[in-house]
Amino acid sequence: MSEIIYQATDLTGSKRVEFLNEARRDRARLRATDGTSLVMLPERTLSRLEALAKWGGAYAKLSTLLRRNTGIPSTSELGELAWLRSLDREDMEEFLTELQDAIVAAKADEDTAILDECVRAWKATARQLSDPLRRSVLLGAHRSDEYVPAESPDAMNGSETGTGG
């Protein structure tokens, strides 16, 4: 970031293009007429910073909740993370680890795609586990004698593949 601090009057003069170019590259500083320091930066940078702050805060909150006790945090304690309520403690701890890795990667990559995918996948998992039937299928014990070989759709319709008709 440049050390140049533009004045509000610079935006009406020839330095306007210089200010905008600097803002496009990284960020540009402007001193408002009331003395307030302002920063202009690309919107994608602001969006990335907001996402990192949001999920960094969520990470800190869940980490603190899990450190405080050995049980599962209540829905009210989870707050905006209440979608995690269908997970057991072990899954919450795994989510926390993956979230931390995704935050670090998103910051390093300067792209929140990996963070967005991590949260999307865990929300999908939590939704599946919130349904009792799906939960029992996903987490229940399964024995090999409960399964039978699947037949091909043609065999189920009474016609065998490769036979003339």
Side-chain angles (χ1 to χ4, degrees):
M1 179 168 91
S2 171
E3 295 301 315
I4 298 172
I5 301 174
Y6 295 89
Q7 301 299 317
T9 55
D10 293 336
L11 298 181
T12 61
S14 61
K15 290 187 177 182
R16 176 178 64 239
V17 173
E18 186 181 318
F19 175 81
L20 291 172
N21 286 338
E22 196 170 318
R24 272 188 204 97
R25 276 192 307 275
D26 183 31
R27 65 189 97 179
R29 295 173 61 197
L30 175 74
R31 179 86 53 217
T33 54
D34 66 357
T36 304
S37 179
L38 303 171
V39 176
M40 180 181 241
L41 48 99
E43 187 173 359
R44 69 183 178 281
T45 302
L46 177 61
S47 295
R48 184 178 70 248
L49 293 172
E50 288 174 336
L52 290 170
K54 173 186 175 181
W55 291 108
Y59 172 85
K61 178 179 187 170
L62 184 58
S63 177
T64 299
L65 287 171
L66 293 175
R67 241 189 358 260
R68 283 189 183 156
N69 62 50
T70 58
I72 296 173
S74 70
T75 301
S76 61
E77 288 174 317
L78 289 168
E80 68 181 30
L81 294 174
W83 55 268
L84 292 169
R85 68 189 176 278
S86 61
L87 303 180
D88 60 21
R89 184 180 177 88
E90 184 179 319
D91 285 339
M92 285 186 188
E93 290 170 351
E94 187 174 341
F95 166 71
L96 194 64
T97 299
E98 287 187 26
L99 181 61
Q100 180 182 25
D101 291 346
I103 290 168
V104 170
K107 183 166 183 344
D109 296 348
E110 295 184 357
D111 184 352
T112 60
I114 193 167
L115 178 57
D116 298 337
E117 176 56 25
C118 172
V119 172
R120 187 203 60 73
W122 275 99
K123 281 185 175 183
T125 298
R127 271 193 309 276
Q128 296 303 314
L129 292 175
S130 68
D131 179 278
L133 177 59
R134 288 183 177 143
R135 183 180 196 85
S136 69
V137 169
L138 292 169
L139 301 178
H142 301 284
R143 299 184 326 259
S144 61
D145 63 345
E146 294 176 327
Y147 300 96
V148 296
E151 294 183 31
S152 72
D154 290 335
M156 292 171 48
N157 292 332
S159 63
E160 290 294 325
T161 307
T163 60

